[in-house]
Amino acid sequence: MVVASSVASPLCTWLVAACMTARSEKGNFCKPSEFIKCPKKLSRSARRKSLVAQKSGSLLSSLYGCGINSLMSFCPFEPCEEYYNSQGLSSSFALFGENGFSLLFGSKTLPMNRKQRKLNQASNSGKTMVVAVQLEKQVSMKKKLVTKKRRVVVTGLGVVSPLGHDADEFYGNLLEGISGISQIEAFDCTEFPTRIAGEIKNFSPDGWVSPKLSKRADKFMLYLLTAGKKALADGGITDEVMAELDKTRCGIIIGSALGGMKVFSDGIEALRISHKKMNPFCIPFATSNMGSAVLAIDLGWMGPNYSISAACATSNFCILDAANHIIRGETDMMLCGGSDAAIIPIGLGGFAACRALSQRNDEPTKASRPWDVHCDGFVMGEGAGVLLLEELEHAKRRGATIYAEFLGGSSTCDAYHTTEPHPDGRGIVLCIEKALTESGVAKEDINYINAHATSTPLADLIECQAINHCFGQNTELRMNSTKSMIGHLLGAAGAVEAVATVKAIQTGWIHPNVNLECPDEGVDANILVGCKRERLDVKAALSNSLGFGGHNSSIVFASYKE
């Protein structure tokens, strides 16, 4: 009895739930191949037990308005001839004993006469199989129509960065080779081995975030809200346009690698005195999902809303997911990207403990130097980047300016080490190759790469070698690193660099690699942009983001063409 009960419980739950939701359509069966193995031959005893169980099926029908027949008619599996020629599903319930379902539902069964057995066998005839096959084909055709790919375009850009809080200002400074890295001013860091960062100065959320929220929220959330609303403004989403949007088809996926570290850190300090001193918003405003949630509450957008955290690859993961919601037809418009604000004592101290940071404190603007033989670690940065993605026809109907088209992307995992990439870059290679396949772009058509390149010797070299492996001797290929001027924005890095990539497509100019004075021997210097900006007609661009834990992501953009 104990054995039967333990086996029956999950099966009964499934049967009851399915019966309650399925419509009755008598006689249409399909093979439950994922749940029950089709019997090949039934003994007399097994047939007798199955008949008892089948009779018990009428109890389900009386209780829930449908029987096992209607349940199985909506099972999305291919019919099995052996299954229909046998006593079907009920024979497999013989393991519950002679009383079948009576053990499960407490009912008593009645013996079936010869006429009832013949009627039961007739219901499992070949005609039923034909109907089931036709039904399966109809479902398959319907699924293909629903999943038809839709085009995704970029119609708005928002950024908060060490080089400006407007997309045009930000990219203009990049083209000029201006560095946003300087001495840290937010707190006293004289005791730290690293005292420099891509710190945001003179930021004000006025006009974008309510004063009340500004006093309570973590900076990562303020950056996110500001960049998100700037992306909407840049995309021409005025109050009038907003009022006409179907907000159930508008979503937000903006992630963070570390979330509200300052709010949480302050909560720990308050707890040292008393829990009564803690900020009631400590937990809600520390979680990485809350930025997207608060923005949705502000805008009234009711579509998909969540945050992905994948270390420094966070933003690209969010962009990929957002685009897929549009492609699948679930939404028409998505805000996506990333935000982080970790330049606080615990953030700086944690990365210093990892020995990952540059200690070129006397020359802040020269500290971040991807691919240079004298690089000594990355420089922390902070900020947010948000893209407004939109379904093409939706964008055209409202007369939106289209900056670029999102073609596709991919993500993989090295499954190798917590902080180091795989030595042969196999995860990065796989990610790039999958991104090209998903986007339908040939490798020779990629002529611009915005690399992850953080200014750490080993990781930069491995990424570069993976790129060489994928693209070979492509003489037209040009590559740069936005981090050379703004540092590493952690979870926000991919989105801010995606903004730079889209601006490169829009303007026809790519920014320089500052501080690249002596390229590492293992790097193909021929594809690297020099110390001055370059003119380039970008055919298709690849943007990479890699993160602790072996997270790899690549996304592909191109200029929009009819």
Side-chain angles (χ1 to χ4, degrees):
M1 182 67 179
V2 174
V3 174
S5 177
S6 64
V7 175
S9 179
L11 181 59
C12 289
T13 303
W14 176 76
L15 288 172
V16 171
C19 284
M20 292 177 71
T21 56
R23 294 176 299 170
S24 178
E25 188 172 337
K26 216 165 191 179
N28 290 349
F29 289 90
C30 62
K31 172 188 173 185
S33 57
E34 296 296 317
F35 303 100
I36 300 170
K37 185 177 180 181
C38 295
K40 292 184 177 180
K41 185 176 181 180
L42 291 175
S43 64
R44 181 180 300 176
S45 174
R47 285 199 299 272
R48 180 168 56 83
K49 292 177 182 178
S50 70
L51 291 176
V52 171
Q54 285 189 5
K55 182 62 179 176
S56 299
S58 63
L59 175 61
L60 285 177
S61 179
S62 63
L63 288 175
Y64 300 107
C66 64
I68 298 297
N69 289 6
S70 63
L71 165 65
M72 299 312 297
S73 69
F74 286 88
C75 180
F77 301 107
E78 185 179 357
C80 171
E81 186 173 359
E82 277 188 292
Y83 175 81
Y84 294 118
N85 290 337
S86 71
Q87 293 299 321
L89 175 66
S90 57
S91 64
S92 300
F93 291 147
L95 63 94
F96 295 125
E98 289 192 11
N99 291 330
F101 278 139
S102 65
L103 287 174
L104 308 179
F105 297 101
S107 64
K108 292 184 178 180
T109 61
L110 298 174
M112 299 180 73
N113 57 35
R114 182 176 299 176
K115 183 177 180 181
Q116 289 172 323
R117 287 197 296 271
K118 287 183 178 180
L119 288 173
N120 187 67
Q121 291 172 356
S123 68
N124 295 335
S125 66
K127 294 180 180 180
T128 301
M129 294 175 61
V130 173
V131 173
V133 171
Q134 292 174 345
L135 178 61
E136 183 185 5
K137 288 181 179 178
Q138 291 172 4
V139 171
S140 178
M141 290 175 63
K142 185 177 180 181
K143 285 183 178 180
K144 289 180 181 178
L145 291 175
V146 171
T147 58
K148 183 178 180 180
K149 188 170 182 178
R150 306 196 304 168
R151 295 175 72 178
V152 180
V153 292
V154 182
T155 56
L157 302 170
V159 67
V160 174
S161 78
L163 283 181
H165 312 323
D166 172 83
D168 289 335
E169 177 191 10
F170 161 70
Y171 198 64
N173 286 330
L174 284 178
L175 291 178
E176 294 300 319
I178 298 172
S179 177
I181 298 170
S182 60
Q183 296 286 339
I184 295 173
E185 298 177 2
F187 60 95
D188 182 8
C189 57
T190 54
E191 300 300 319
F192 288 80
T194 295
R195 299 182 290 278
I196 57 175
E199 187 179 40
I200 292 177
K201 318 285 188 187
N202 305 318
F203 169 77
S204 174
D206 293 349
W208 303 102
V209 184
S210 70
K212 189 174 183 180
L213 181 59
S214 296
K215 294 178 181 179
R216 295 175 173 174
D218 189 274
K219 284 199 297 182
F220 103 92
M221 188 182 294
L222 299 180
Y223 295 160
L224 182 157
L225 295 172
T226 303
K229 291 186 176 180
K230 286 188 174 185
L232 289 176
D234 185 57
I237 307 298
T238 61
D239 291 341
E240 292 75 15
V241 174
M242 182 72 78
E244 296 177 357
L245 293 177
D246 181 354
K247 295 182 180 179
T248 64
R249 295 183 60 80
C250 299
I252 303 171
I253 308 176
I254 305 176
S256 178
L258 298 173
M261 289 191 71
K262 181 66 165 59
V263 168
F264 196 76
S265 179
D266 289 347
I268 293 174
E269 292 302 317
L271 184 60
R272 296 180 187 278
I273 301 172
S274 169
H275 73 278
K276 297 179 181 179
K277 297 291 184 180
M278 293 183 68
N279 181 348
F281 297 97
C282 171
I283 296 299
F285 285 178
T287 57
S288 61
N289 74 293
M290 199 54 65
S292 289
V294 170
L295 183 55
I297 292 168
D298 197 346
L299 301 177
W301 285 18
M302 299 174 64
N305 187 287
Y306 52 94
S307 168
I308 298 174
S309 185
C312 304
T314 289
S315 288
N316 277 11
F317 276 65
C318 292
I319 293 169
L320 276 167
D321 254 35
N324 284 332
H325 280 295
I326 296 174
I327 291 170
R328 291 196 298 264
E330 299 166 359
T331 59
D332 298 319
M333 186 178 287
M334 296 289 296
L335 285 170
C336 55
S339 178
D340 258 317
I343 303 177
I344 60 174
I346 191 171
L348 183 66
F351 281 111
C354 290
R355 299 180 180 179
L357 299 180
S358 169
Q359 298 183 24
R360 199 182 291 263
N361 299 309
D362 297 332
E363 299 178 296
T365 60
K366 294 185 178 181
S368 184
R369 39 199 319 120
W371 302 302
D372 190 81
V373 71
H374 299 299
C375 67
D376 67 333
F378 76 83
V379 179
M380 289 183 67
E382 61 180 351
V386 176
L387 284 72
L388 177 62
L389 299 185
E390 198 167 351
E391 193 272 325
L392 175 59
E393 297 305 320
H394 187 274
K396 290 167 70 175
R397 281 195 299 271
R398 69 178 187 87
T401 298
I402 298 175
Y403 294 134
E405 182 171 3
F406 175 86
L407 297 182
S410 177
S411 62
T412 62
C413 180
D414 284 349
Y416 171 72
H417 193 271
T418 54
T419 60
E420 297 178 6
H422 196 284
D424 62 11
R426 64 179 63 177
I428 304 172
V429 170
L430 177 62
C431 187
I432 293 173
E433 290 179 345
K434 287 179 61 180
L436 295 177
T437 300
E438 289 296 320
S439 60
V441 177
K443 63 181 181 180
E444 54 270 16
D445 289 333
I446 298 286
N447 65 336
Y448 171 55
I449 296 177
N450 189 301
H452 180 66
T454 62
S455 184
T456 49
L458 179 63
D460 290 3
L461 182 60
I462 291 174
E463 181 190 13
C464 194
Q465 290 175 344
I467 289 171
N468 290 339
H469 176 86
C470 292
F471 295 96
Q473 300 299 318
N474 185 344
T475 56
E476 295 184 5
L477 184 64
R478 308 302 291 157
M479 184 166 70
N480 60 14
S481 171
T482 307
K483 294 180 181 71
S484 63
M485 287 172 273
I486 63 174
H488 190 356
L489 275 58
L490 308 178
V496 173
E497 290 158 16
V499 170
T501 303
V502 170
K503 294 300 289 183
I505 293 171
Q506 181 194 7
T507 64
W509 288 95
I510 54 176
H511 68 72
N513 285 308
V514 302
N515 303 321
L516 183 57
E517 299 169 354
C518 184
D520 190 289
E521 292 181 359
V523 176
D524 182 5
N526 294 321
I527 67 174
L528 298 179
V529 181
C531 59
K532 299 290 183 180
R533 64 180 177 179
E534 296 182 10
R535 181 60 109 171
L536 183 66
D537 179 15
V538 181
K539 293 189 294 184
L542 180 82
S543 181
N544 281 344
S545 282
L546 319 175
F548 279 3
H551 300 296
N552 308 304
S553 60
S554 300
I555 53 179
V556 181
F557 296 95
S559 58
Y560 164 68
K561 296 179 181 178
E562 289 288 349

